[in-house]
Amino acid sequence: MAHIDLKNDLPGIRGLMSYRPETAAPLNLLAEILLRSDNSLSRGDRELIGAYVSWLNNCNFCQMVHSGMAQYYLQCDSDFIQSVKADYDSTSLSPKMKSLLAIAAAVQKGGKSVTEEHIKTARQNEATDMEIHDTVLIAAAFCMFNRYVDGLGTKVPDNPSYFVERAAYTAAQGYADFS
Amino acid sequence: MPHIDFKNDFPGIRSAMAYRPETAEPMGVLAELLLRDDEGMSRADRELIGTYVSHLNDCFYCNYSHGAIACIYLGGDEELVNQVREDFTKAAISEKLKSLLNIARKVQQSGKAVLAEDIADAKTAGASDRDIHDTVLIAAAFCMFNRYVDGLATVTPTDMSSYPKRAMQIVENGYGSHVFKNKQPA
């Protein structure tokens, strides 16, 4: 049961967004831009960063949702997503993505944990300034979303197929009018 | 030196926002909604929560920027802002705000650190569901802002007299893209 009376039965962040639609609007717009700007970082890459940070933050709802999204875009199986969380360095991800995940992991600990060395490695792996910017902000945003979802004790669907079924829907609809 | 080339000389979050105005837009709207709302909690209360979380996250720029804004709302009571940073349980603030700062403190650690008893304490002290919601989201949002500011190693002004000037700009005009589109206060 959520810590406050949300006056709805929606799971995770959806229940919070329905409770306070004013703040939901900019939160969704931020997610839309950060997770669906399909430039040099693909939507799959962006969702994978979000899933990884959510996993580090131990936020079950967010990590299930965004793992489902990453899996959908990357057209991989859940074992691959699991292996990224367990040890992304041993996966077939590009060196650039590995260096961006290292930056995301540092951001999850604290902004000051991002070192010159992290940035240098990302650049050697051909990450651009915009990719580094977006990685830091995606990781930082998930440190917000995760705390929002768990800090208010929202409920998590116990049926894992919820997340798989919803991924295709969210991929088609986007986040801007997410509800 | 910042980790990336922002192509501007703005301080703190303003440099990152000017670099990527698309993401700055919703962040400005979020800050405006959460920090400049008068329902249940005052603007000073909301800024104190942001200041305290920034202090816990060791983000100097956000800590002193929002501390300066809170100070203006508090009629210049810098001592109170410092008390909240150092030990809010001893600060001259309401029991309700103390219980909300306790929730913010938990959120800074992790969402799961917020326990049913923290919520019960806040409700006993008179906090509404909306107050609790906004406290959790303000604390969570500062866990984003602080990481954004320090994760990109934005420039932290060392001239402390510049903080009240930028703070007054926010008090007078609110949050939004004007902070990087208009001339910076001298």
Side-chain angles (χ1 to χ4, degrees):
Chain A
M1 210 184 75
H3 287 320
I4 60 174
D5 179 9
L6 298 174
K7 302 187 193 305
N8 68 71
D9 289 325
L10 293 168
I13 201 163
R14 296 177 63 205
L16 303 176
M17 289 186 156
S18 170
Y19 173 78
R20 186 93 148 90
E22 302 88 346
T23 45
L27 291 174
N28 274 326
L29 186 56
L30 185 63
E32 176 71 20
I33 297 164
L34 284 175
L35 299 176
R36 289 167 58 89
S37 293
D38 209 359
N39 51 34
S40 55
L41 272 186
S42 72
R43 293 182 180 186
D45 294 338
R46 292 164 184 274
E47 291 285 354
L48 196 57
I49 294 168
Y52 182 56
V53 171
S54 300
W55 183 78
L56 292 174
N57 278 326
N58 194 24
C59 180
N60 202 23
F61 179 82
C62 296
Q63 76 100 4
M64 294 284 274
V65 168
H66 295 280
S67 293
M69 295 302 296
Q71 194 181 323
Y72 176 85
Y73 287 126
L74 297 171
Q75 297 186 302
C76 61
D77 55 23
S78 59
D79 286 348
F80 179 75
I81 304 289
Q82 202 48 51
S83 66
V84 169
K85 292 171 189 163
D87 179 14
Y88 60 79
D89 259 333
S90 66
T91 67
S92 60
L93 284 173
S94 69
K96 182 172 91 177
M97 261 309 279
K98 288 178 183 174
S99 61
L100 293 176
L101 285 170
I103 291 175
V107 170
Q108 188 268 337
K109 292 193 192 93
K112 289 192 171 69
S113 300
V114 180
T115 63
E116 301 274 353
E117 200 59 35
H118 285 124
I119 303 297
K120 204 172 111 191
T121 306
R123 278 194 214 292
Q124 280 165 355
N125 292 322
E126 298 182 338
T128 64
D129 274 8
M130 189 57 84
E131 288 167 345
I132 294 169
H133 170 280
D134 280 12
T135 297
V136 169
L137 188 49
I138 291 168
F142 275 87
C143 287
M144 168 179 66
F145 292 129
N146 299 162
R147 283 168 169 79
Y148 187 35
V149 165
D150 281 340
L152 285 165
T154 62
K155 73 170 187 181
V156 183
D158 34 19
N159 172 14
S161 70
Y162 166 89
F163 299 100
V164 178
E165 284 157 18
R166 244 188 105 77
Y169 172 81
T170 306
Q173 297 296 312
Y175 291 103
D177 297 314
F178 184 80
S179 62
Chain B
M1 213 183 77
H3 285 322
I4 63 173
D5 180 6
F6 288 125
K7 303 187 195 304
N8 68 66
D9 293 325
F10 297 135
I13 200 165
R14 295 174 182 217
S15 59
M17 287 182 144
Y19 176 76
R20 186 87 149 100
E22 300 87 348
T23 45
E25 169 75 27
M27 283 193 278
V29 173
L30 184 65
E32 179 72 18
L33 285 167
L34 286 173
L35 300 174
R36 289 169 57 87
D37 183 290
D38 301 305
E39 191 179 327
M41 294 187 289
S42 69
R43 295 181 185 198
D45 294 346
R46 293 163 185 270
E47 291 287 349
L48 281 173
I49 293 170
T51 302
Y52 180 57
V53 170
S54 302
H55 169 75
L56 294 176
N57 279 326
D58 192 24
C59 181
F60 189 97
Y61 179 80
C62 297
N63 181 4
Y64 286 91
S65 295
H66 292 277
I69 297 168
C71 187
I72 295 172
Y73 289 137
L74 292 166
D77 195 348
E78 198 173 349
E79 181 54 33
L80 185 64
V81 180
N82 282 328
Q83 278 176 6
V84 168
R85 285 187 183 114
E86 282 155 26
D87 182 0
F88 69 81
T89 63
K90 295 191 181 124
I93 53 174
S94 68
E95 288 304 311
K96 180 174 115 175
L97 185 53
K98 285 181 187 175
S99 70
L100 294 173
L101 284 164
N102 175 57
I103 290 175
R105 181 176 69 84
K106 297 293 194 79
V107 169
Q108 188 269 339
Q109 293 162 13
S110 153
K112 286 195 170 65
V114 180
L115 304 178
E117 64 203 60
D118 300 315
I119 304 294
D121 287 348
K123 286 186 178 168
T124 304
S128 68
D129 277 3
R130 192 179 188 276
D131 297 335
I132 294 168
H133 170 278
D134 282 13
T135 297
V136 170
L137 188 49
I138 290 169
F142 275 87
C143 287
M144 168 178 68
F145 295 133
N146 298 162
R147 282 169 169 80
Y148 188 37
V149 164
D150 282 338
L152 288 169
T154 64
V155 171
T156 303
T158 50
D159 174 8
M160 293 312 290
S161 73
S162 71
Y163 287 81
K165 290 174 189 160
R166 283 187 302 274
M168 189 52 84
Q169 199 187 19
I170 300 293
V171 169
E172 287 174 351
N173 305 302
Y175 292 96
S177 52
H178 72 88
V179 301
F180 59 84
K181 285 182 178 156
N182 293 352
K183 193 172 170 288
Q184 297 299 296

